[in-house]
Amino acid sequence: MEHALDVCGLEPPEPLVAILSRLNALAPEDVLVVRHFREPIPLYPYLEEGGYEHATQKLAEGEYRVRIWRRRGA
Amino acid sequence: MELEARPAPAPVPFRGSAPFLAKAPPLWLPMRHFVLSAAAWWVFAAGFAWGADRFLGFDFQARWVLGLTHVLTLGWVAATIFGALCQLTPVLWETSLASETAAKAAWWLLAAGLLSFVGLIWGGGDQYWRGAALLAGAVALYLFVFGRTMRSARKLDWTGVHLLFAFAYLAALVAVGAALAWDRQRGILFRSGDGALIAHVHLALVGWVSLTIVGVSYRLVSMFALAHVETKVLGRLTLTLVNVGLVGLALDSLYFGRRLTPLWASLLALAYLAYAAQMRKIFSARLKRIDPALAFTLLALAGGALWCALGLGLAFGWLEDTTESRLAYVFAALVGWVTPFIIGQMHKIVPFLVWLHAYSPRHWTPPVRVPTIQDLTSERTAWLELAALALGAGLGVAAFLSGSQPLLRASGAFLLACATLYAGNIGYTLSHLRKKGAK
């Protein structure tokens, strides 16, 4: 199941807080789809360490889509 | 959706332990620069308020003015930029800072060089080129650190391209400045000391400081305004015009008797126009209200326009080329354009860094209760700083142009108020580190 989260109107570091706050509730088959205004580089080490995988796409200037899901076995 | 309960994380330090901080430079590397720069800004403002009478009717190379100008340019402007770049370049280029030890050594050299250079100028000694040598050593170390960091960059983004040019101009301005300091009593290297001084000042104000501001603003102002627009068309035009205008002006001033100054001034003014058009696009596309940081940026843009107008006036002869009109020109650049931009960005950068080191936790268990960036700074104080700076800058330019001592004193008082409020506000932000026991 996909869950959408738009953090485009939030100022750093609020997007980071908003995204991380949603992760604990993510079931193994769920995907969090985040709409972001830039590539969230500080987020990636958190995801790696917390057992999540991600894929980031640049859709347009100032528009990124980050898909986050639990790593298998994590 | 089925919610799965996760096992509780192992006990770890809660605050200031975000995983990416392991790669970031230590907090006190940029912060020591910001503390030095806040102190220098206050010393400049206090000196300007206290010694306002010395500015009018004196040669602009007078020791008091020369020393105070370098407190502002080296202590306030350069220290802030170097500190910000220690933090920014690893983030921009997705790599680690090449050498924290060299960056710390560079800070010590910068601080020692500033104290000895200005101290020797104010003390009446003739050996202040020794201070200039320390400063040149500091700059060489910074360039080494940023150059090595840049070499390991995954990609050089648009801001990085601007910084590359800014570093080249920094090296050139230090070479000209050190030679100027050595030659001041000798008169061997430069036939026209005035031409060399003009080259030195413009390599600093336009090449080093303004190109850094322009490059960084594309990244930071867009981020803080939550506005993302294509930057490269007008940006390329700006960069090209700055390079042609500045190199032409510097060579013309050093070697050719300033025959084409109106041409170079026009190119630089056009560059500013293209940059202002780009910033207008960013502000038009913003998703958030004008907060103090963005208002400081708008004030900087107004100050930059005033600086350009004064430059065109001097270049075309619409404004009489006197010591006071030159002081108005440099004052508009440093206090009207550069200072508001710096203060605006500092009111975002310093709270953000403090937040990262004091409040960014390793494990997040909803509901997450951490302060926002706005909680770490006083917005009301920032608005007061803005009002004081706008008045101080405007009155200062008017005072130099009109030769009015009362206006100059009023300008000094407002600048001192701004610097005091700024120091208090930054101190308030830093106090969060102590309260939360951050690393």
Side-chain angles (χ1 to χ4, degrees), chain B residues 80-387:
Chain B
T80 309
I81 291 177
F82 286 135
L85 291 182
C86 283
Q87 181 65 36
L88 187 67
T89 52
V91 176
L92 276 182
W93 302 328
E94 297 174 37
T95 184
S96 300
L97 195 68
S99 168
E100 287 168 13
T101 309
K104 276 182 200 163
W107 181 88
W108 281 106
L109 277 177
L110 178 69
L114 175 65
L115 284 174
S116 58
F117 184 67
V118 174
L120 285 165
I121 287 177
W122 281 346
D126 292 333
Q127 302 291 313
Y128 52 83
W129 61 270
R130 292 175 192 272
L134 284 176
L135 291 166
V139 169
L141 264 182
Y142 281 117
L143 287 175
F144 165 77
V145 172
F146 298 138
R148 284 282 300 272
T149 307
M150 191 181 273
R151 274 186 66 185
S152 59
R154 287 190 193 175
K155 58 179 181 184
L156 199 60
D157 68 344
W158 191 225
T159 300
V161 172
H162 284 78
L163 292 179
L164 200 59
F165 281 104
F167 293 155
Y169 288 124
L170 174 62
L173 90 90
V174 170
V176 174
L180 201 58
W182 184 83
D183 199 48
R184 198 156 174 250
Q185 275 83 38
R186 296 170 177 83
I188 298 167
L189 293 177
F190 300 114
R191 201 173 45 181
S192 163
D194 195 38
L197 186 65
I198 287 171
H200 173 69
V201 166
H202 284 87
L203 286 168
L205 289 179
V206 181
W208 157 233
V209 177
S210 295
L211 269 188
T212 301
I213 287 177
V214 166
V216 165
S217 69
Y218 293 144
R219 182 90 170 201
L220 292 188
V221 177
S222 297
M223 188 167 75
F224 297 144
L226 300 175
H228 300 277
V229 292
E230 179 58 51
T231 59
K232 289 196 180 159
V233 176
L234 286 167
R236 282 197 187 102
L237 182 62
T238 303
L239 190 58
T240 306
L241 288 169
V242 166
N243 282 326
V244 175
L246 178 58
V247 172
L249 180 68
L251 292 176
D252 196 15
S253 302
L254 282 170
Y255 302 114
F256 301 107
R258 289 192 283 144
R259 290 175 190 165
L260 295 174
T261 304
L263 171 65
W264 313 126
S266 301
L267 292 177
L268 292 172
L270 282 173
Y272 187 77
L273 210 57
Y275 171 69
Q278 180 63 50
M279 294 307 284
R280 185 174 178 272
K281 284 173 75 174
I282 291 175
F283 272 86
S284 301
R286 76 182 195 280
L287 291 174
K288 71 186 295 272
R289 70 181 176 93
I290 298 286
D291 62 9
L294 292 177
F296 270 111
T297 306
L298 288 174
L299 179 62
L301 289 169
L306 179 61
W307 177 34
C308 283
L310 291 170
L312 288 172
L314 282 167
F316 281 92
W318 306 325
L319 196 61
E320 195 182 350
D321 188 359
T322 61
T323 300
E324 281 73 20
S325 55
R326 286 187 180 199
L327 281 170
Y329 172 73
V330 173
F331 187 85
L334 288 169
V335 181
W337 154 242
V338 176
T339 296
F341 187 85
I342 285 179
I343 294 181
Q345 306 318 301
M346 282 300 103
H347 279 316
K348 292 288 185 184
I349 292 172
V350 176
F352 184 69
L353 289 178
V354 169
W355 185 92
L356 282 182
H357 287 265
Y359 297 109
S360 62
R362 181 169 291 263
H363 293 290
W364 298 68
T365 308
V368 177
R369 289 198 181 88
V370 287
T372 64
I373 292 292
Q374 289 75 26
D375 295 330
L376 304 190
T377 183
S378 164
E379 188 168 316
R380 184 185 291 181
T381 307
W383 282 118
L384 289 173
E385 290 166 42
L386 179 84

Side-chain angles (χ1 to χ4, degrees), chain A residues 3 11 25 27 46 49 70, chain B residues 1 3-4 6 348 361-362:
Chain A
H3 305 274
E11 191 178 339
Y46 274 109
E49 199 168 79
R70 284 205 175 168
Chain B
M1 181 182 71
L3 294 182
E4 184 191 60
R6 300 198 71 198
K348 292 288 185 184
R362 181 169 291 263

Side-chain angles (χ1 to χ4, degrees), chain B residues 7-59:
Chain B
V12 288
F14 179 78
R15 297 184 188 285
S17 58
F20 56 88
L21 287 179
K23 282 187 179 175
L27 176 66
W28 281 101
L29 182 55
M31 225 44 100
R32 70 177 66 204
H33 290 81
F34 300 152
V35 170
L36 173 68
S37 70
W41 171 226
W42 192 90
V43 168
F44 167 80
F48 190 75
W50 175 68
D53 294 350
R54 304 190 191 191
F55 273 87
L56 295 178
F58 282 81
D59 184 280

Side-chain angles (χ1 to χ4, degrees), chain A residues 18-74:
Chain A
I19 294 167
L20 293 175
S21 300
R22 294 283 293 270
L23 293 183
N24 273 15
L26 215 57
E29 70 277 12
D30 287 347
V31 177
L32 183 63
V33 183
V34 181
R35 185 168 171 260
H36 209 306
F37 60 89
R38 69 187 178 99
E39 188 173 7
I41 289 167
L43 174 70
Y44 297 156
Y46 274 109
L47 298 180
E48 195 175 322
E49 199 168 79
Y52 295 89
E53 297 203 53
H54 67 92
T56 303
Q57 281 179 289
K58 182 176 180 177
L59 303 176
E61 193 63 41
E63 188 178 356
Y64 290 79
R65 183 165 59 200
V66 188
R67 295 170 63 83
I68 303 169
W69 63 95
R70 284 205 175 168
R71 195 185 300 139
R72 281 179 190 276

